[in-house]
Amino acid sequence: MKKQQYVLSALALLLCFALYFGGKTVPDKSAVTHSEDDGHDHSADSPQKIDINTLLTAAKETITPSQSQRLTALENSVTRGDVKDQQIHAYHEIARFWLDSARKFDLYAYYTSEAAKLENSEKSLTFAARLFLDRLMMSGDPAMQNWLASNAKVLLENALKINPANDSSSIGLGACYLFGNISTNPMEGITLIKKVVDRNPDNTYGQMMLALGGKKSGQYDKAIERFLLIVKKEPENIEAIFHIAECYDLKGDKANAIVFYEKAKELVKIPQAKEELSNRIMELKK
């Protein structure tokens, strides 16, 4: 990997943490390699599969004996619950255990999704799906991307059965195909997202997903065009601003890269991220 790529990866990681803890996410640089304009498979080899049992086994090795006892009791309460509401409550309790006691967000998302499937309301299904999607956009592990996207896909498909007109659910489902290694045909995801964006160009969520797809496939000019649409509507959208800077950087346009890295530095709150952005700006000025 070239030095520039190392620098950009470091910047992306820092901005990822900054945006994630601020309520937004930045996808990992290896998240997708698809084009929004073709239907060919540009992905890497199929990732090794991850399943919930594998994740649970690994996670249980990290908890204390008292936590293990507590978890066993919660798990048993699911099998004992002969009423749906009891099972829903138990799944929420297990989800909270993994989030609050063990700090395992992926398992929190999984058990939240199990409760949502039983509740089968649009609100609960889309909330759980978003947990997976947010994690998906931060993950650089193809196997984990596949697991996260597969779970989100089921939830969003169920939500769309309840409300087929929910544009956010359609875009999220498209993102599963684009970024989750769950299909050999990225056009499945692109088509879902473009249907929404073509009908409503002001949908920033859809524009963001298409822009990210363009960026990851090396279509920097097209990606910049979409990111700029977002910034025009949301001038302080640091996620879009940072990606514009990175696109210019990757295509060798130092002057414009500096302009947008400066804008990102003004908005980001994490000192280490500010420092890395300053360092990159100085390198580009040499």
Side-chain angles (χ1 to χ4, degrees), residues 58 77 191 201 216 238:
S77 70
T191 299
K216 296 306 178 180
I238 186 175

Side-chain angles (χ1 to χ4, degrees), residues 72-140:
T72 298
L74 290 172
E75 290 174 334
N76 289 338
S77 70
V78 174
T79 58
R80 289 196 304 266
D82 55 359
V83 178
K84 185 172 71 171
D85 287 346
Q86 292 176 337
Q87 292 179 316
I88 291 171
H89 177 73
Y91 279 133
H92 280 305
E93 287 294 304
I94 296 174
R96 279 191 285 270
F97 167 85
W98 284 116
L99 181 66
D100 297 335
S101 299
R103 307 294 183 186
K104 300 293 184 182
F105 186 87
D106 296 328
L107 294 179
Y108 162 69
Y110 174 78
Y111 282 104
T112 299
S113 75
E114 290 299 290
K117 291 173 189 175
L118 290 176
E119 291 169 351
N120 199 37
S121 71
E122 183 184 14
K123 182 178 179 180
S124 61
L125 289 166
T126 54
F127 173 80
R130 194 58 189 251
L131 296 177
F132 287 115
L133 285 173
D134 286 349
R135 202 68 163 179
L136 169 64
M137 302 308 289
M138 293 180 66
S139 176

Side-chain angles (χ1 to χ4, degrees), residues 240-251:
I241 290 168
F242 173 74
H243 284 299
I244 293 170
E246 209 177 29
C247 283
Y248 278 125
D249 199 343
L250 289 165
K251 67 179 289 200

Side-chain angles (χ1 to χ4, degrees), residues 200-221:
N200 178 15
D202 289 334
N203 190 304
T204 55
Y205 183 32
Q207 292 287 8
M208 180 67 77
M209 293 301 105
L210 291 177
L212 290 171
K215 178 189 173 190
K216 296 306 178 180
S217 65
Q219 297 185 86
Y220 301 125
D221 289 333

Side-chain angles (χ1 to χ4, degrees), residues 20-194:
Y20 178 69
F21 289 109
K24 292 187 177 182
T25 56
V26 174
D28 185 272
K29 291 179 66 60
S30 61
V32 69
T33 56
H34 307 317
S35 163
E36 69 171 73
D37 293 325
D38 64 47
H40 297 94
D41 178 21
H42 300 284
S43 60
D45 293 337
S46 297
Q48 182 180 355
K49 296 293 184 181
I50 286 177
D51 59 40
I52 185 60
N53 292 328
T54 302
L55 294 176
L56 270 175
T57 299
K60 286 179 178 180
E61 292 176 355
T62 67
I63 60 179
T64 66
S66 61
Q67 287 176 328
S68 181
Q69 289 179 350
R70 168 66 176 154
L71 178 60
T72 298
L74 290 172
E75 290 174 334
N76 289 338
S77 70
V78 174
T79 58
R80 289 196 304 266
D82 55 359
V83 178
K84 185 172 71 171
D85 287 346
Q86 292 176 337
Q87 292 179 316
I88 291 171
H89 177 73
Y91 279 133
H92 280 305
E93 287 294 304
I94 296 174
R96 279 191 285 270
F97 167 85
W98 284 116
L99 181 66
D100 297 335
S101 299
R103 307 294 183 186
K104 300 293 184 182
F105 186 87
D106 296 328
L107 294 179
Y108 162 69
Y110 174 78
Y111 282 104
T112 299
S113 75
E114 290 299 290
K117 291 173 189 175
L118 290 176
E119 291 169 351
N120 199 37
S121 71
E122 183 184 14
K123 182 178 179 180
S124 61
L125 289 166
T126 54
F127 173 80
R130 194 58 189 251
L131 296 177
F132 287 115
L133 285 173
D134 286 349
R135 202 68 163 179
L136 169 64
M137 302 308 289
M138 293 180 66
S139 176
D141 177 4
M144 181 56 73
Q145 289 169 353
N146 180 274
W147 183 79
L148 293 165
S150 296
N151 279 281
K153 176 176 177 288
V154 171
L155 295 162
L156 291 168
E157 287 174 339
N158 289 343
L160 285 166
K161 290 177 183 177
I162 298 171
N163 181 10
N166 188 316
D167 286 345
S168 293
S169 293
S170 294
I171 294 168
L173 183 58
C176 292
Y177 285 105
L178 267 177
F179 302 101
N181 302 301
I182 62 174
S183 173
T184 58
N185 181 12
M187 281 304 296
E188 292 182 68
I190 293 166
T191 299
L192 284 167
I193 299 171
K194 289 196 75 174

Side-chain angles (χ1 to χ4, degrees), residues 3-4 7-8 249 254 258 276-286:
K3 180 181 179 182
Q4 179 197 39
V7 173
L8 295 181
D249 199 343
K254 293 184 179 181
I258 289 170
E276 291 295 335
L277 286 165
S278 295
N279 291 340
R280 184 57 187 158
I281 291 166
M282 290 178 60
E283 289 186 356
L284 290 171
K285 287 181 177 180
K286 291 179 181 178

